[in-house]
Amino acid sequence: MEPNKEALVELANYRMPFGKYKGEFLVDIPEYYYTWFKQKGFPDGKLGKMMIQMHEIKINGLEELIYTIKRDYKA
């Protein structure tokens, strides 16, 4: 698997580890939650990077891409 493909598969199958949406797939979390984090500051590390990516995906209307990856490539 190519590195970018692996990263997208991981992003599609990653679950929120804390907070209001704990246990939810990142793609299933509403856009407003990511917008709030953008204003307050995303967490450091891998989770923060994934949340930034998911925010970009959501504001550009590309969630279907992530749902397709999630369906076709289970982690």
Side-chain angles (χ1 to χ4, degrees), residues 26-39:
L26 293 183
V27 70
D28 294 333
I29 296 172
E31 182 183 325
Y32 73 83
Y33 193 68
Y34 294 106
T35 301
W36 182 84
F37 266 102
K38 184 172 182 169
Q39 294 170 350

Side-chain angles (χ1 to χ4, degrees), residues 9-56:
V9 170
E10 183 178 21
L11 180 63
N13 290 284
Y14 201 85
R15 293 180 184 266
M16 181 59 115
F18 66 86
K20 181 179 181 176
Y21 294 102
K22 182 178 181 177
E24 297 289 329
F25 289 106
L26 293 183
V27 70
D28 294 333
I29 296 172
E31 182 183 325
Y32 73 83
Y33 193 68
Y34 294 106
T35 301
W36 182 84
F37 266 102
K38 184 172 182 169
Q39 294 170 350
K40 301 294 182 185
F42 287 103
D44 292 330
K46 182 178 182 177
L47 175 61
K49 290 176 186 174
M50 293 176 107
M51 290 176 71
I52 291 167
Q53 291 171 334
M54 191 57 70
H55 182 251
E56 287 296 319

